[in-house]
Amino acid sequence: MSHLPIYLDHHATTPLDARVLDAMMPYLTDRFGNAASRNHVFGWQAEEAVELARAEVAMLIGADKKEIIFTSGATESINLALKGVAEAYVSKGNHIITNAAEHRCVLDTCNHLKKLGFDITILSVRKDGTVDPDDVRKAITDKTILISIMMANNEIGSINPIQKIGEVAREKNIFFHSDIVQAAGKISVDVNDLNLDLASISAHKFHGPKGVGALFVRQKNPRIKPIAQMDGGGHEKEMRSGTLNVPGIVGLGKAAFLCKSEFDSDFWHDFNLRNKLYETIVKQLDQFHLNGAEIDSADMIKKFNSAEEASKHIRRLPNNLNISFEQTKSESIMIAMKEVAMSSGSACTSALPEPSHVLRAVGISDELAKGSLRFGIGRTNTPEEIDYVGRRLVEVVKKLRSESLHVHSS
Ligand SMILES: *Cc1c(COP(=O)(O)O)cnc(C)c1O
């Protein structure tokens, strides 16, 4: 029997790993020192823990620990990267390139910069949700100072050709930022291989605590200095002032360490469960549409000798599935399956559900978007849970479709 409710919304947030909580606990209790206190053991203990976490985060993404700036999460990291670079390098130019499938925090930050007089190019994406590196190249002008393209999409899981886009940026001497929130811990990320200059991560997306994240800021070839968006005591190399969230940072570090050391098992776990769910849908339902990139087959990636290597060749995050069911509304499916946490591609925050900007960007009709469901698999999901969800989904979609037939024919 599966333990209900079942959580399949890991792109929104993930449960805190028990080992992460254990690592944090001393810093929520006895070791409460301020990491900036230089005169006593409480401060030294806190500082030592922060520096260990910095090394752990750096290790996850192939960076140097000097290149990690702690923040309150990816939204803040992204604001610092984009606004901080825009402000610091405006004398070189005022043009920024991004794309239509980015997370709101990138698009809204760009919108803010636009109001301040920056020129923003929002590239359209291909049908699979990815950005064409040639489009990036063509969009570059002599005023371009920054390119921001996410590594993996949080709704449809598409993985962008970051290395190629990075090559274009490097060749033209333009800074390159990537929102790697959904990629970190799920697919191989090496800031040097990928030619990244700035990258944003968030602890709660990989089994760490909420309210803590980091910004990678390249320190050599080239050295970058975004202007702080939070002024104060000059913490974090004067890029982000404010007393450090020591327990949160310790949790971020531990979560990053676990992702690195358990990369293989996490990768295959998520990949196999996602493919199992997809196979159930393919076998037992018709009239559905896969949103985003193709589902990579186990056969295709078997030839790579490690999960790390395989993850460089897949087109879609191993834990993501996004499907639109024709003649059904995702809202109705979710109401009928309240015991399963998933999310839909239309925001139900307003009275009228609005299709997500990502589904619009990949050209899904509003009608299909209303039937879209996003499944995000994570470390603690079990095969039994996936069996249960598959079974219920088939049952519910069939039932809803037959009911709507009756309504139409009566
Ligand atoms: C969750 C998420 C963010 C925001 O991260 P927070 O730490 O919650 O601010 C940004 N980008 C992507 C792709 C995300 O999934």
Side-chain angles (χ1 to χ4, degrees):
M1 246 318 275
S2 299
H3 196 71
L4 299 178
I6 294 170
Y7 189 74
L8 281 189
D9 200 14
H10 288 82
H11 298 296
T13 193
T14 58
L16 190 71
D17 191 296
R19 295 164 294 179
V20 172
L21 178 61
D22 282 347
M24 292 169 69
M25 209 49 127
Y27 300 92
L28 289 160
T29 51
D30 303 345
R31 302 188 191 179
F32 56 82
N34 184 328
S37 297
R38 290 284 149 79
N39 305 313
H40 50 69
V41 67
F42 294 88
W44 304 332
Q45 270 176 346
E47 196 199 5
E48 194 181 308
V50 165
E51 294 315 310
L52 171 64
R54 206 184 294 283
E56 288 170 325
V57 170
M59 188 97 80
L60 180 66
I61 60 171
D64 187 285
K65 65 183 291 247
K66 294 192 208 77
E67 300 176 310
I68 303 298
I69 302 298
F70 291 119
T71 66
S72 65
T75 298
E76 189 193 335
S77 299
I78 289 164
N79 272 266
L80 172 56
L82 273 51
K83 292 176 183 167
V85 165
E87 195 181 336
Y89 298 95
V90 66
S91 64
K92 292 191 167 178
N94 70 341
H95 181 224
I96 296 170
I97 299 171
T98 185
N99 72 90
E102 291 288 316
H103 191 275
R104 281 288 301 273
C105 60
V106 169
L107 293 172
D108 288 359
T109 302
C110 284
N111 214 18
H112 180 101
L113 287 167
K114 188 176 176 176
K115 286 184 194 140
L116 298 179
F118 285 86
D119 186 12
I120 313 289
T121 295
I122 299 179
L123 298 173
S124 48
V125 293
R126 298 180 279 208
K127 274 234 159 326
D128 66 357
T130 63
V131 174
D132 184 340
D134 279 337
D135 289 350
V136 176
R137 185 185 292 278
K138 285 181 212 144
I140 293 171
T141 71
D142 55 3
K143 293 273 191 290
T144 311
I145 50 170
L146 180 66
I147 296 167
S148 186
I149 308 285
M150 72 197 324
M151 188 157 182
N153 189 277
N154 51 298
E155 288 189 33
I156 54 178
S158 322
I159 299 171
N160 269 311
I162 292 299
Q163 190 174 31
K164 293 216 174 70
I165 297 168
E167 278 166 16
V168 173
R170 188 56 52 88
E171 180 193 318
K172 304 274 184 183
N173 280 317
I174 296 163
F175 295 147
F176 183 28
H177 167 261
S178 185
D179 170 348
I180 61 167
V181 170
Q182 296 288 339
K186 304 288 185 307
I187 57 175
S188 166
V189 177
D190 183 299
V191 293
N192 294 315
D193 287 353
L194 297 174
N195 302 304
L196 290 176
D197 297 315
L198 302 121
S200 298
I201 65 169
S202 177
H204 76 98
K205 300 294 175 84
F206 53 86
H207 301 281
K210 290 168 184 61
V212 61
L215 178 65
F216 156 74
V217 183
R218 184 171 289 285
Q219 290 302 298
K220 60 172 196 273
N221 310 318
R223 181 188 175 86
I224 305 173
K225 186 88 199 276
I227 292 187
Q229 300 300 303
M230 190 76 80
D231 295 307
H235 307 74
E236 298 296 278
K237 298 199 169 63
E238 303 194 326
M239 284 184 246
R240 202 279 189 177
S241 286
T243 299
L244 294 185
N245 169 7
V246 178
I249 289 167
V250 167
L252 167 62
K254 182 72 178 185
F257 172 82
L258 292 172
C259 281
K260 183 79 186 168
S261 53
E262 297 177 359
F263 186 86
D264 273 51
S265 54
D266 280 350
F267 180 86
W268 292 117
H269 170 85
D270 290 1
F271 183 90
N272 290 330
L273 292 186
R274 191 274 313 273
N275 282 23
K276 185 181 171 72
L277 182 58
Y278 184 57
E279 275 158 29
T280 304
I281 293 168
V282 170
K283 278 190 196 130
Q284 302 193 40
L285 285 171
D286 52 13
Q287 294 178 293
F288 63 84
H289 178 89
L290 177 67
N291 299 318
E294 290 300 304
I295 300 289
D296 302 282
S297 74
D299 281 346
M300 193 284 278
I301 61 170
K302 247 189 341 220
K303 61 174 184 270
F304 300 106
N305 45 27
S306 67
E308 183 96 15
E309 200 49 40
S311 78
K312 292 179 190 167
H313 298 273
I314 56 176
R315 293 161 291 182
R316 189 180 189 113
L317 284 174
N319 63 336
N320 173 276
L321 185 61
N322 190 312
I323 290 199
S324 286
F325 295 96
E326 290 168 31
Q327 299 153 39
T328 34
K329 289 204 182 71
S330 41
E331 252 184 294
S332 316
I333 301 175
M334 289 191 296
I335 289 168
M337 287 178 73
K338 279 213 185 76
E339 77 281 22
V340 182
M342 354 178 230
S343 94
S344 78
S346 50
C348 305
T349 42
S350 58
L352 286 171
E354 268 285 298
S356 87
H357 70 277
V358 174
L359 294 181
R360 279 204 169 136
V362 294
I364 307 292
S365 68
D366 286 7
E367 200 50 43
L368 263 185
K370 280 179 199 156
S372 82
L373 279 181
R374 177 184 73 178
F375 305 91
I377 288 160
R379 193 178 278 163
T380 51
N381 288 131
T382 64
E384 292 71 35
E385 287 180 334
I386 299 303
D387 283 339
Y388 177 91
V389 172
R391 204 162 56 234
R392 285 281 292 138
L393 191 64
V394 170
E395 194 177 286
V396 165
V397 170
K398 283 186 173 162
K399 182 157 175 280
L400 289 171
R401 282 178 179 167
S402 74
E403 280 170 7
S404 80
L405 268 182
H406 290 308
V407 171
H408 291 307
S409 56
S410 59

